[in-house]
Amino acid sequence: MPESEPRRWRAFAVCLMAGFMTLLDVSVVNVALPSVQAGLRASPAQLSWVVAGYTLAFGLVLVPAGRLGDGLGRRRMLLLGLAAFTVVSAVCGLSVSGGWLVGARLGQGAAGGLLTPQIVGSMQQLFRGRERGIAAGFYGAMVAAATAVGPLIGGLLIQVAGSADGWRWVFFVNLPLGAVTFVLGVRLLPRDRGRERGTRIDLVGVVLLGAGITAIILPLIRAEGAQRSVPWSPVGLGIVLLACFVAWERHYGRGHGSPLVDLRLLHHRPYAVGSVIGVVYFAGYTGLVFVLSLYFQQGLGYSALAAGAAGAPFSIGSSVSAALSGRVTYRFGRSLVVAGTLTVVLALVTVGLLIRLPDGAPMWAVLAGPLLIAGAGSGLVIGPNLTLALQHVPSVQGGTAAAVLQTGQRLGSAFGLAVVASSFLGALAASHHDFSLAAGRGVFTSAALVGVALAAAVAEVLGSAYRRRRTPPDRPGGDRSERSRPIRQ
């Protein structure tokens, strides 16, 4: 209970610092790729894997790491992941070849995937009720802040250290941050307690899930470059493997009682709906960041630092609204997510139209307002959706439940990048490098993906209202009792 952890907010601050590092390393590295190419003479394929390798390893580790945190203790797993992430960051910065850096990034992604589920799992453990909503709001603000400052920090480091070696400091910056966070974690994170559930890991489930995710995500990563020769057959194989994973988990749960993922989570409507919204929203959200980065740097000729500053209004709006939305999540429920996704869709449509203004317009100023509004809407989605999805998940399952959500978001991000990148780069080629036209097309595609998330949220709100009208709240099985009943362990 919260009362048993008087230092819970300081402990959660440590968790947010650790999460900030893993997200910072995504946005920082994206702007450092030209510097990596200049410093290491890395090939285009190696540059692609510097980004893709991190994403893939991160996604593969999430669910097993969540299960380990639930079984062996979240403090132990978070500190282990944090130490590994810090050490491998040094290995990245010391790379002498593109292949070395790709291998180190795979290790860094695995370390990030190990610690990330422990953050939300610790939130489930440390907080209850309204406090949990506030904590989720801070989590959403952290996600937005890392996205905002990453390009700025990366651009500044490269500008100061030079294009040849500036990329090394993009990784070295994790060393002091990681060391400080580790020391604070040892002092402030609550001691792990005994768990009722065993720590036996379902290895067959790990292999099936990992193979399925790999088969799906690799073609999507290749499609980000709008390659015409992308083999899509592995996606079908991945879907089959995930179906086998579900069948195996059902069998394993009946025979052993401790599957990798308790599939009863997906039978719980708020969790299932929150998962769907998260997958589709992150598809649109990630695609938007991709389009804006290319538009500002390649289309308008901004430096990495200037491009990061031009895109900052979105992240600033998201940070502020996310921190505030956590205080009213339980008051407004899923309607808050509806308001957020609707705001994002309308703001992105406005951005897509304004981008087509005649050349010479100060686009950073023209787009600042709509991007700020879009960010404010985004802050009403990520944290509240997470809170509502995990509202009745027992804390003992918090790490695994969070990992499944985050794995879905990773798949959604990969899908969104593939779709939006294909739209953007296809329009760019067809229009003979008209960046305004291509960027507008990409932003509209992102808006369409967010619109699907909006439709899912609206359907859930209307469906809940209909069920409440049809079934008295005091009748067994009524909608209110269903929403208030926790998932059984």
Side-chain angles (χ1 to χ4, degrees):
M1 296 295 291
E3 294 79 6
S4 64
E5 299 292 352
R7 299 187 299 179
R8 58 192 179 279
W9 285 108
R10 283 180 284 176
F12 189 59
V14 173
C15 294
L16 294 181
M17 289 174 65
F20 182 85
M21 287 179 59
T22 65
L23 292 174
L24 183 69
D25 235 54
V26 176
S27 54
V28 165
V29 169
N30 284 337
V31 301
L33 291 179
S35 178
V36 171
Q37 187 174 35
L40 292 181
R41 300 180 184 272
S43 68
Q46 289 173 332
L47 290 177
S48 176
W49 272 101
V50 167
V51 178
Y54 183 92
T55 300
L56 180 61
F58 193 103
L60 290 177
V61 172
L62 279 172
V63 174
R67 179 67 181 86
L68 285 172
D70 290 342
L72 297 177
R74 298 186 183 108
R75 179 181 188 271
R76 183 178 293 110
M77 290 299 103
L78 191 147
L79 291 176
L80 176 62
L82 179 60
F85 190 90
T86 304
V87 170
V88 179
S89 293
V91 176
C92 288
L94 295 172
S95 297
V96 296
S97 67
W100 178 326
L101 182 57
V102 169
R105 283 286 284 174
L106 287 169
Q108 196 181 35
L114 181 62
L115 71 86
T116 296
Q118 321 314 330
I119 299 171
V120 180
S122 297
M123 184 181 74
Q124 292 289 102
Q125 175 185 337
L126 293 171
F127 304 105
R128 297 289 185 275
R130 184 172 179 269
E131 277 196 338
R132 185 178 290 175
I134 295 173
F138 286 131
Y139 176 83
M142 179 272 292
V143 172
T147 304
V149 303
L152 296 174
I153 292 176
L156 182 61
L157 289 173
I158 292 169
Q159 184 170 319
V160 171
S163 60
D165 291 316
W167 65 271
R168 297 185 186 276
W169 293 98
V170 163
F171 298 107
F172 288 151
V173 74
N174 288 328
L175 303 186
L177 182 58
V180 171
T181 305
F182 186 87
V183 171
L184 292 175
V186 170
R187 294 185 59 186
L188 297 175
L189 291 175
R191 296 285 178 180
D192 295 322
R193 300 169 182 173
R195 302 289 182 183
E196 296 180 2
R197 301 172 64 188
T199 57
R200 181 178 179 181
I201 295 297
D202 170 18
L203 294 179
V204 175
V206 171
V207 171
L208 287 173
L209 180 62
I213 291 174
T214 301
I216 291 174
I217 205 170
L218 280 179
L220 293 175
I221 289 173
R222 292 191 62 183
E224 292 173 19
Q227 301 179 33
R228 296 182 179 180
S229 61
V230 174
W232 291 106
S233 55
V235 174
L237 175 61
I239 294 173
V240 171
L241 288 171
L242 291 183
C244 293
F245 168 75
V246 172
W248 170 257
E249 291 300 283
R250 292 183 184 277
H251 166 74
Y252 193 86
R254 288 193 297 266
H256 300 83
S258 298
L260 184 64
V261 176
D262 187 348
L263 295 177
R264 290 176 296 180
L265 287 169
L266 299 177
H267 297 162
H268 187 60
R269 187 184 299 116
Y271 183 83
V273 172
S275 299
V276 171
I277 293 174
V279 168
V280 184
Y281 182 77
F282 269 79
Y285 171 83
T286 309
L288 172 68
V289 175
F290 170 84
V291 168
L292 291 179
S293 176
L294 288 183
Y295 173 66
F296 284 129
Q297 292 189 67
Q298 297 184 12
L300 300 181
Y302 289 6
S303 66
L305 182 61
F314 181 90
S315 299
I316 293 172
S318 182
S319 298
V320 174
S321 68
L324 297 176
S325 67
R327 303 177 182 274
V328 295
T329 298
Y330 289 123
R331 179 178 179 182
F332 295 103
R334 194 75 66 184
S335 297
L336 196 63
V337 178
V338 171
T341 49
L342 177 60
T343 301
V344 174
V345 169
L346 295 177
L348 290 189
V349 169
T350 303
V351 169
L353 294 173
L354 291 176
I355 280 179
R356 298 306 313 280
L357 287 177
D359 293 340
M363 294 308 299
W364 64 268
V366 171
L367 298 181
L371 287 178
L372 183 68
I373 295 172
S378 183
L380 302 180
V381 178
I382 297 177
N385 186 61
L386 178 68
T387 302
L388 296 170
L390 298 176
Q391 182 177 1
H392 300 302
V393 174
S395 61
V396 72
Q397 294 178 294
T400 304
V404 173
L405 281 173
Q406 291 164 329
T407 300
Q409 291 169 1
R410 288 284 161 178
L411 290 172
S413 295
F415 173 77
L417 276 174
V419 172
V420 175
S422 296
S423 174
F424 173 84
L425 296 174
L428 192 64
S431 63
H432 304 289
H433 286 74
D434 184 340
F435 273 90
S436 295
L437 174 64
R441 184 78 57 83
V443 171
F444 285 138
T445 303
S446 293
L449 291 170
V450 177
V452 177
L454 170 63
V458 169
E460 173 61 11
V461 170
L462 295 178
S464 295
Y466 176 77
R467 288 187 293 271
R468 284 196 298 270
R469 288 196 301 268
R470 291 291 301 270
T471 306
D474 57 345
R475 180 186 299 177
D479 189 67
R480 182 176 299 176
S481 64
E482 180 181 28
R483 288 182 292 127
S484 62
R485 185 171 58 249
I487 302 172
R488 296 179 180 177
Q489 301 179 38

